[in-house]
Amino acid sequence: QVRLVESGGDSVQAGGSLRLACVVSGYTERYSSACMGWFRQAPGKEREGVAAINTGGTTSYVRSVEGRFTISYDSVKTTLYLEMHDLKPEDTAIYSCAADPNCATYCAGDKCYTDAEQFGYFGQGTQVTVSS
């Protein structure tokens, strides 16, 4: 059974930093790819992509977080990370990780694209709150 469990969410002041972690279990036993992403959903808004990483380690970000967020994957710990710096109130959201066996997750411009919603897996999310 594939399971994704996020942690690291917290309440911080604007300009602060957080590191989110997503422990992925049961996935590498089933799939050879390691294409994953971070998504977020703010109150009253649709879920949006934030960052993606593919099996080869290539990363991509939406424009609004580029230069502030860094996605990485530790294949030994099977843990996906999101380092977030210079946080802004508009970053407030529930952050979820996703694993995409189709490796169709990537970000360009203001959007991320993924097959994870139909063919992959999402975690339950962790709350990030940024106050001004």
Side-chain angles (χ1 to χ4, degrees):
Q1 180 183 355
V2 177
R3 198 157 171 249
L4 285 72
V5 180
E6 302 93 338
S7 63
D10 205 345
S11 296
V12 297
Q13 298 253 325
S17 300
L18 283 174
R19 186 172 87 151
L20 306 183
C22 168
V23 177
V24 184
S25 58
Y27 183 84
T28 55
E29 294 88 331
R30 189 177 295 194
Y31 304 104
S32 57
S33 68
C35 298
M36 303 187 185
W38 283 97
F39 293 76
R40 66 187 181 187
Q41 186 166 21
K45 294 190 175 182
E46 289 190 358
R47 182 162 57 191
E48 63 174 3
V50 174
I53 187 167
N54 68 16
T55 306
T58 300
T59 59
S60 58
Y61 303 88
V62 289
R63 204 188 323 266
S64 62
V65 308
E66 200 145 24
R68 300 189 297 122
F69 290 12
T70 302
I71 187 172
S72 61
Y73 178 67
D74 185 326
S75 59
V76 174
K77 297 180 179 179
T78 62
T79 300
L80 182 71
Y81 297 99
L82 185 69
E83 291 263 3
M84 305 187 294
H85 299 286
D86 190 23
L87 283 160
K88 306 174 188 294
E90 51 265 40
D91 294 319
T92 294
I94 296 174
Y95 284 70
S96 303
C97 55
D100 179 5
N102 285 354
C103 264
T105 299
Y106 68 97
C107 304
D110 295 323
K111 286 191 70 174
C112 293
Y113 305 85
T114 185
D115 272 1
E117 287 171 348
Q118 276 186 292
F119 303 109
Y121 308 87
F122 274 85
Q124 291 298 305
T126 185
Q127 177 71 49
V128 172
T129 303
V130 185
S131 57
S132 56

